[in-house]
Structure formats: C-alpha cells, structure tokens
Amino acid sequence: MTQIQSFEESLPKNEAGPMDATAVLTAVETNLLARKDYHRLFDAKMMQVRQQMGLPVTRPASLAGIPAENETAYRQAYLNAAREIGQLFLDDGRLPDAWAYFRTIGEPKPVQDAIEKIAIPGEPDAAFDEILNLALYEGAHYVRGLYFLLKTHGTCNTVTAMGQLMPQMSPDERQQAAAMMVQNIYSDLQRSVRHDVESRMPVLNGKATLSELISGREWLFENGNYHIDVSHLHATVGFARHLNSDAPELQQAIELAEYGSRLAEPLRYPADVPFDDYYNGHLHFLHAIAGINPEDSLQYFIDRLNAEPDEPDKKLIAFVVVDLGQRIGQLSQALEVAAPFLNRLEDPAGFSFTEACVDANRLDLLEQFARENDDILSMATVLLTRKAD
C-alpha cells in the first residue's frame, strides 16, 4: 500500500461536508510516525500549529512572517516540536538527525549524553566514523570526539584536530581536552623514559614520576636524545595553559614542561612571544596557575612586556599578562601594565577592556583611557558603574 493510500484509509469518513482540518493533520502525523518519517513529521506538527493559529500551512517549518501576536506561542511550539522529533531520532539511534534539531534550538545536552554512552567498537566502521564526525567536526561533543580520534587515529591526528578546533570550543571544553592530552602524553613519555632508565640501572621506585625519573640524569638528554615526538610534547604543553588550578593534570603538565626545558636547543621549538623561550615561559605560566610563586611568574611576563621593542608583540604579551593576572587574582596589577596596549579592544566574543576594568574595579584606568581615546561609551560605563556602586 502506498503512503497516500494508507493515509486515505486512515481518514475519517465524512460525506456530509468538508473534511475536518484537525482530523486530516492527525492522520498525517499518525502515518508519518508509523513510517518513522520524522523529518516530515516535524513539518506536520508545525502545519497543525499554523492551522490552529489561522496561518497559511505552506512552509510549515519557517519562522518568517509570523504575526507579532502569534510569535511567542509559535516559537514555543517550534521548540516543543523540535525536542519531540529530536528525541524520536535519539530513541532510534539516529544521532546525526537528532543533532539537526537539538543544535537548532540550542540544546546540545541530549545528543551529548547519547554520545557519552557510545563505546569504541573493536573495528571502527562507517557508523562509528559518522558519530566521530558528528562529535568532532559538527561540534556535537568536541571532547568526546577528540577522545574517539585519539583512540582510533592516534596522537598526531588528535593534536592537529585539537589545534584547529580550540577556538570553537568553550573554556570548559578546552580544559577537558587539555587534561586528556596531558594525561596521554605524560603516560607515554613516563613509560619511555622509564624504559631508558631501566636499560641502564634499576629503578627503585616503581611509581616514580617523570620529574623523579629525569632528576639528576642529564645523560637522558645527551646527544640530542628524546623520548617522545617533540612536536606532540610542544603542542600539549601549549594546550595545558587551559588547565584550571584544581586540575589534577596540572602537575603533570609542569613535569612535561620541565622535561621539554632539558631537551637540546634544536628540539625546543619557539612560539610567539612571550613563549619564544617555550618551555621556560610555560613553566612560569603553569607554576603561577598552580600557585607556585605566582607573583614572580606574573612579573616574568611583565618584564617581557617592558623589554619588548615590537608594538604588535607587546599586544600579544599584554594578553598573556591579563589572562594570567585574572587567573591568579592579580587582574588589577595586570591591567595597569597591559592597559596601554589593550585599551581599544572591545571584542563581543573575546576580550573586552571595559569589562576587565569593571571586573577589577579599575574604573580609574577605564576613565583615563576613555578620555585619551575620546570614547563616550567607555566614559558612560564609568559614570553608570560608579552610580550603581
């Protein structure tokens, strides 16, 4: 039986007059649900809403052209229908289709929860690759997607993907992903160093940390020797700047930076200032996050800022100063030295000098640069904030 025949068979018999609209649409929904044609079921549900509101039933999924008096109710009905259809797809294990609905309404958690429950098969197949792509490259669950990639495609591919996706991830996702990569690289490096040490002498402590394994053993690094892909080490230490102060992996990240600082110079790749002295700079940064002489570490970056002759590089260092200052509770001091280089920056999706000054209670700085820049919006913020206080 065709879909149309099945539909017509389900319609109530009514020879006395026009078919009841609600009955027609109910029959449509019943047939589409039975056939699991959920995309069109969504359209049918929105046709029902439009019919009840006296609106044209064409283009049922469109949010355009809804009268003002119906807009709130229509949008709520749209959200409800999208949740219902998304859940139907989830119940059928059709995660990419479910994601199309939950992403549209800004509710990723049901799909993320479903992805969390997926185990990596012994032999990854096309179905698993589809889930990996959904999690990682469609943004449904970046952290789980990176985990899938790490376990199935290795460290190199994961480092590359993570470097590309970091700007799209939330701070919490960056923290989780960084923790995962630190654990992975630390475990591999610790194992490799232990093997090297044990090939020459017994290791008395079977649980020796990486720092304990390399302590006093300069011969581990002689003749340009290394124990892990140094590009992976370099990237992971950089990712570690996203760790929070309470992350268990922070100490491991410090030990990775310590190891990197002892590599032969050609293996210590530089990066943009203030991490051109890569591992030394990261040791200062990570120590500060861990609460190890944070004021000294902040001063290290302030000194780098004061000594830098290049104006664009000064801005890069100033960002690091403010980021670190904020994370160690020294934002006021950090802003004082970074303000000359960041005072015009107001990125809606990134750093806001105005917001930073308000957060640090440095309205004096905000007013100073509002006057220097002839910026009436910043000046208005100063006046309104002082009034609120």
Side-chain angles (χ1 to χ4, degrees), residues 6-19:
S6 176
F7 166 60
E8 289 177 334
E9 284 288 324
S10 67
L11 290 172
K13 301 300 182 282
N14 184 2
E15 299 177 357
M19 187 71 67

Side-chain angles (χ1 to χ4, degrees), residues 129-144:
D129 287 343
E130 185 178 41
I131 297 300
L132 190 155
N133 183 73
L134 172 70
L136 196 57
Y137 298 110
E138 294 189 35
H141 197 328
Y142 286 121
V143 177
R144 189 66 171 169

Side-chain angles (χ1 to χ4, degrees), residues 181-199 203 205-214 217 220-221 226-229 233 251-253 255-256 259-260:
M181 290 307 299
V182 167
Q183 289 176 15
N184 179 67
I185 293 296
Y186 186 90
S187 176
D188 287 351
L189 180 55
Q190 184 185 37
R191 187 183 310 111
S192 180
V193 171
R194 177 186 298 279
H195 178 76
D196 193 358
V197 173
E198 289 178 341
S199 70
V203 178
N205 180 3
K207 297 182 179 180
T209 65
L210 179 60
S211 287
E212 290 169 341
L213 288 169
I214 65 176
R217 296 185 174 119
L220 286 167
F221 303 93
Y226 58 93
H227 303 83
I228 199 166
D229 187 312
L233 175 68
Q251 178 57 38
Q252 292 182 338
E255 293 183 34
L256 291 178
Y259 175 90

Side-chain angles (χ1 to χ4, degrees), residues 22 34 40 84 88 101 103 112 134 140 160 188 197 199 213 220 253 256 258 260 274 283 304 311 349 363-364 387-388:
T22 299
R40 300 190 65 179
E84 184 177 347
L88 287 170
Y101 291 89
R103 175 175 57 187
Q112 290 174 345
L134 172 70
T160 300
D188 287 351
V197 173
S199 70
L213 288 169
L220 286 167
L256 291 178
E258 289 174 347
L283 280 171
R304 290 297 312 274
E311 286 300 317
L363 297 182
D364 57 323
K387 184 178 180 181

